[in-house]
Amino acid sequence: MNKDFISIADYSKDELEAIFELTKELKEKTRRREEHHLCKGLTMAMIFAKPSARTRISFETGMYQLGGYALYLSPNDIGIGKREAVKDIARVVSRYNDIIMARLFEHAHILELAEYASVPVINGLTDYNHPCQIMADIYTVLEHRGHLNDLKVTYIGDGNNVANSWVNLASKLPFHLVLCSPSGYEPDAETLTRAHAAGVSQIEIIHDPVQAVKDADVVYTDVWASMGQEAEAEQRRKIFMPYQINSQLMSHARKDALVMHCLPAHRGEEITDEVIDGPQSIVFDEAENRMHVQKAIIVKLLNKA
Ligand code: CP
Ligand code: NVA
């Protein structure tokens, strides 16, 4: 394993599969309420430059279940890169804590944090990617389907951090990824080039949502304006409206297609109530699995399994 968990692209297929195996084991133990204090006495600093529900709750609870302790540092606390240099925070926190999880704006900052921290660093989202989310997502798909053979995932909406992580996953595990965004809002070009070059998955860009969802096993979306893009929200609403996941669009997908969203959802924008609350939606399994998969990542990075 690498020292850090910054991008899915930094991991091999075997390493990712080992994380999923451990996730299963830890999830079963959690369900049985069986003690699994693999990180007894260890502490995690959680640095947040942006808001969060799932990431904070799942990491904090997960670390407690592993017998450790997680410390929440809100956007008002550290002021990473503003009040203090990223590399200084990296070195200071490494003196107190055994592992760091950070949610930051600039991806360069998480790379710098990892470079200067002597302890492992986990990426809890940057403007560029959200690897823990997509690890939980694919694990959830695996649970529901039992395998990942002949999988077609259609991502509809903004080519944002979540979409970039789907592309990174496609560079490691084989599946068919369809990306459907308005022109000019596609995922990161360099990431797409690398994923195409890896030759692991079929990756297609299709601008028409109806065509994009055809034969999809998973229809996935995320908010149209991410954290930090609030000023563009109104303009984006207009541009993205044809990319809404609603019953009409779902009628063009497979009848048993799974609907996913990393949450928080803007109901009535990228997804309608009837779809997110409907029988095909697995959004809450997906949210739960954030905790299980992240526990496995923590345990692996700390060499405790
Ligand atoms: N999906 C996700 O990361 O949620 P939060 O922003 O609430 O942590
Ligand atoms: N793309 C969203 C994901 C939130 C979990 C954002 O960055 O705000």
Side-chain angles (χ1 to χ4, degrees):
M1 288 281 280
N2 297 331
K3 176 176 89 63
D4 311 293
F5 193 81
I6 303 294
S7 169
I8 293 174
D10 301 334
Y11 282 82
S12 68
K13 181 171 184 276
D14 287 351
E15 286 170 329
L16 297 175
E17 283 170 355
I19 293 171
F20 299 138
E21 264 171 51
L22 183 59
T23 301
K24 184 169 190 285
E25 190 186 318
L26 296 179
K27 183 169 180 176
E28 281 164 6
K29 286 191 173 153
T30 308
R31 286 274 165 93
R32 293 198 297 266
R33 299 204 164 260
E34 192 180 314
E35 196 175 284
H36 48 287
H37 287 172
L38 298 168
C39 299
K40 195 164 187 226
L42 301 181
T43 63
M44 166 184 269
M46 304 192 297
I47 302 172
F48 283 92
K50 299 182 180 185
S52 166
R54 280 143 293 273
T55 304
R56 181 202 172 162
I57 301 167
S58 58
F59 270 106
E60 191 165 331
T61 307
M63 195 60 188
Y64 176 78
Q65 291 174 355
L66 290 169
Y69 176 78
L71 186 70
Y72 172 65
L73 297 150
S74 82
N76 296 326
D77 291 316
I78 292 193
I80 193 164
K82 289 196 203 105
R83 180 171 179 265
E84 195 162 354
V86 176
K87 57 186 170 190
D88 290 344
I89 288 298
R91 292 183 282 211
V92 169
V93 176
S94 298
R95 299 285 182 112
Y96 300 131
N97 302 110
D98 301 289
I99 187 163
I100 302 170
M101 189 284 297
R103 164 169 287 191
L104 307 177
F105 284 89
E106 287 177 49
H107 193 68
H109 282 175
I110 197 119
L111 295 173
E112 192 180 346
L113 189 66
E115 183 185 344
Y116 287 93
S118 57
V119 300
V121 172
I122 301 177
N123 178 357
L125 180 148
T126 66
D127 288 345
Y128 167 66
N129 68 348
H130 196 2
C132 294
Q133 180 66 54
I134 272 49
M135 289 294 283
D137 295 339
I138 198 70
Y139 183 78
T140 310
V141 173
L142 182 61
E143 272 187 339
H144 276 267
R145 289 175 90 238
H147 61 84
L148 298 179
N149 305 336
D150 304 316
L151 173 67
K152 179 171 178 177
V153 175
T154 297
Y155 178 97
I156 303 207
D158 189 24
N160 59 18
N161 42 13
V162 168
N164 287 335
S165 282
W166 272 110
V167 177
N168 280 327
L169 182 74
S171 73
K172 296 291 163 173
L173 298 186
F175 65 102
H176 182 176
L177 178 61
V178 174
L179 299 154
C180 178
S181 310
S183 235
Y185 293 89
E186 294 89 354
D188 179 62
E190 227 179 277
T191 306
L192 278 167
T193 305
R194 260 187 281 116
H196 279 300
V200 171
S201 297
Q202 185 187 348
I203 304 170
E204 281 185 288
I205 306 242
I206 296 178
H207 290 290
D208 171 19
V210 169
Q211 200 195 330
V213 298
K214 199 170 174 290
D215 302 324
D217 299 294
V218 174
V219 178
Y220 194 108
T221 194
D222 182 17
V223 291
W224 293 335
S226 286
M227 292 179 275
Q229 296 175 328
E230 290 76 10
E232 293 172 38
E234 190 50 48
Q235 185 201 356
R236 283 170 170 264
R237 255 195 292 278
K238 292 186 195 118
I239 297 169
F240 282 85
M241 211 26 126
Y243 294 79
Q244 181 184 67
I245 299 190
N246 51 36
S247 318
Q248 165 66 21
L249 182 62
M250 286 308 294
S251 72
H252 298 279
R254 285 170 60 109
K255 281 204 164 41
D256 60 353
L258 302 169
V259 171
M260 302 182 77
H261 189 309
C262 60
L263 304 176
H266 291 171
R267 288 165 174 261
E269 292 186 19
E270 74 275 2
I271 194 161
T272 56
D273 286 326
E274 82 258 12
V275 174
I276 197 167
D277 294 328
Q280 287 165 266
S281 166
I282 56 166
V283 300
F284 300 109
D285 292 338
E286 188 184 350
E288 178 186 338
N289 282 334
R290 285 291 301 279
M291 184 173 80
H292 303 299
V293 88
Q294 287 162 193
K295 283 167 72 180
I297 293 168
I298 294 168
V299 168
K300 289 275 185 195
L301 291 177
L302 290 170
N303 284 317
K304 298 296 178 189

